[in-house]
Amino acid sequence: MNKTAVVRCEHFNSAHRLHNKNWSDAKNKEVFGKCNNPNFHGHNYELEVKVIGDIDPETGYVMDMKVLSDIIKAKVLDRFDHKNLNLDTVEFRDLNPTAENIAVIIFNLLKSELNANLELKIKLYETPRNYVEYPY
Ligand code: NI
């Protein structure tokens, strides 16, 4: 079959603090450094959503990119853009908002919205030099 990947690039800004509440302040500072700053800090996240599937012979699409864009906006951007991930979202109330965990949460939020025969991969840039992939 003509298995092909389509990729939608999106962007959001969020604040966060990396912190393990089961650890002492000293250990948190030692492990997370500046990212443990109690008053939070922000990132410009770049998100790449890759959808893999067969090209539909009738439309010529793997999936309609407008539909994909609308799903990402509704499920991810409206939820996380210009938010404090620790304080403003239920997803990270008890989950450390590392890029790894954010990527897994985004995967789960989007997967349930996609046709079951489509494969999904998430790439999330926290800085231009650091990104995570899920699944890898
Ligand atoms: Ni950070």
Side-chain angles (χ1 to χ4, degrees):
M1 296 295 281
N2 297 314
K3 218 169 193 197
T4 303
V6 295
V7 181
R8 174 77 187 178
C9 301
E10 294 286 355
H11 172 84
F12 60 97
N13 303 101
S14 304
H16 75 168
R17 180 195 190 196
L18 302 185
H19 184 78
N20 184 329
K21 64 188 172 192
N22 299 319
W23 293 349
S24 66
D25 287 350
K27 181 162 182 186
N28 269 293
K29 200 166 182 195
E30 182 194 323
V31 173
F32 296 123
K34 281 178 170 176
C35 289
N36 183 241
N37 173 25
N39 291 330
F40 307 95
H41 63 277
H43 291 283
N44 294 310
Y45 290 97
E46 298 293 342
L47 171 66
E48 292 181 20
V49 176
K50 181 185 279 188
V51 176
I52 302 157
D54 294 323
I55 299 175
D56 183 309
E58 292 194 303
T59 61
Y61 290 164
V62 171
M63 106 168 258
D64 186 325
M65 294 301 267
K66 175 69 169 83
V67 173
L68 179 58
S69 158
D70 288 347
I71 291 171
I72 298 168
K73 181 176 187 310
K75 303 300 285 190
V76 178
L77 305 184
D78 289 352
R79 195 179 243 109
F80 298 145
D81 188 34
H82 286 71
K83 298 287 174 64
N84 179 312
L85 297 176
N86 304 74
L87 301 181
D88 297 334
T89 75
V90 293
E91 289 79 10
F92 299 104
R93 196 160 290 163
D94 298 307
L95 181 66
N96 210 14
T98 59
E100 290 87 333
N101 281 331
I102 299 168
V104 172
I105 292 286
I106 289 173
F107 176 92
N108 291 332
L109 287 167
L110 295 178
K111 188 75 179 88
S112 54
E113 300 295 314
L114 299 179
N115 196 317
N117 58 17
L118 295 172
E119 200 182 327
L120 175 65
K121 288 179 183 287
I122 300 299
K123 187 185 279 192
L124 182 69
Y125 285 81
E126 191 168 72
T127 73
R129 292 195 176 104
N130 292 340
Y131 68 86
V132 303
E133 296 178 310
Y134 181 77
Y136 64 87

